[in-house]
Amino acid sequence: MTTRVIIVDDQAMVRAGFAALLAAQSDIDVVGEAPDGAQGVELSRRTHPDVVLMDVRMPEMDGLEAARRLLEPAPGVTHRPRVLMLTTFDVDDYVYEALRAGASGFLLKDAPPADLIAAVRVVASGDALLAPSVTRRLIADFARQRPAVRGKPALRLKGLTERETEVLTLVARGQSNGEIAQTLVLAEQTVKTHVSRVLTKLDLRDRAQAVVFAYESGLVAPGE
């Protein structure tokens, strides 16, 4: 199955380089490029990509606002692509807010080509790009600056079973399904089922949002 991708970045050379790299893959089809967030949203509405590579800092409309419009579309708009944020900074408050909005992760622009290709495939498959330790550090840094919200997020935790709470805690600490399975002595498929139930009960899109939620609800504290 071919993954449809659009690239939204204000630097023409970046767009061209990424497009050439991705288009060379037999399972990836670059269906468009845009120089700013506003045009990126419009392009996504027309082309219905599976994945949007979205630069964080752009003129006219930045990547954060564009990501919000794609991930929380207006009534009547049914298409919601996966969004992978691109940044030159490994700690950026725009990226954190994008993760809260539902972006599936972020990638540094100077990452090796193989990492970019792998990232598109991971996000297209429905998973979140949380493997790089910098993503978890970014979330932890901003959670440290913002006290846990003890209201609604904490109350939502009460809907989880004890096992689901354990799984969410380990997801927030950056463990993969395989690592969680080893930690809790469970089959990996069982862990996948628990993760799916956690996302459904908490109305979260993917693991990236689950990590943000775990920190902001106080389930996991920075530095643990």
Side-chain angles (χ1 to χ4, degrees):
M1 183 175 176
T2 301
T3 297
R4 294 166 57 82
V5 176
I6 66 171
I7 302 166
V8 185
D9 194 294
D10 62 331
Q11 295 180 302
M13 290 184 64
V14 171
R15 296 198 307 271
F18 284 5
L21 178 65
L22 295 172
Q25 311 306 308
S26 61
D27 59 335
I28 298 175
D29 184 14
V30 178
V31 297
E33 304 173 26
D36 62 62
Q39 293 185 52
V41 171
E42 193 276 332
L43 178 63
S44 178
R45 297 277 191 261
R46 286 192 288 107
T47 61
H48 290 188
D50 301 300
V51 177
V52 176
L53 294 181
M54 181 77 74
D55 188 21
V56 172
R57 300 177 183 275
M58 292 179 290
E60 302 299 329
M61 181 189 292
D62 63 27
L64 173 57
E65 179 59 27
R68 283 177 175 150
R69 294 193 184 192
L70 292 177
L71 297 168
E72 301 171 4
V77 178
T78 58
H79 177 67
R80 288 207 312 173
R82 299 276 172 176
V83 176
L84 179 60
M85 305 302 295
L86 300 170
T87 181
T88 53
F89 307 98
D90 64 355
V91 175
D92 191 310
D93 56 342
Y94 282 90
V95 178
Y96 177 78
E97 292 299 336
L99 291 174
R100 292 188 71 197
S104 295
F106 83 100
L107 192 69
L108 297 179
K109 285 187 179 181
D110 60 359
D115 286 2
L116 172 64
I117 296 167
V120 169
R121 289 171 176 157
V122 166
V123 171
S125 72
D127 206 350
L129 189 67
L130 286 180
S133 60
V134 66
T135 302
R136 294 190 296 276
R137 190 178 79 239
L138 174 112
I139 294 172
D141 284 347
F142 279 91
R144 188 179 291 112
Q145 296 172 28
R146 306 175 185 206
V149 181
R150 299 296 178 182
K152 292 182 179 179
L155 287 175
R156 286 162 65 189
L157 285 173
K158 294 184 178 180
L160 302 182
T161 66
E162 182 177 351
R163 178 63 82 191
E164 289 165 352
T165 302
E166 289 178 323
V167 169
L168 175 58
T169 300
L170 296 177
V171 166
R173 290 175 179 162
Q175 291 195 14
S176 66
N177 286 347
E179 291 168 336
I180 295 173
Q182 290 184 339
T183 299
L184 299 180
V185 194
L186 297 171
E188 188 168 346
Q189 184 57 49
T190 300
V191 172
K192 289 181 180 178
T193 300
H194 284 309
V195 171
S196 178
R197 287 175 178 167
V198 167
L199 297 179
T200 299
K201 286 184 176 182
L202 298 178
D203 192 27
L204 302 172
R205 188 170 186 186
D206 55 28
R207 295 171 84 99
Q209 282 196 315
V211 174
V212 171
F213 179 90
Y215 277 107
E216 293 196 332
S217 67
L219 177 64
V220 176
E224 284 189 352

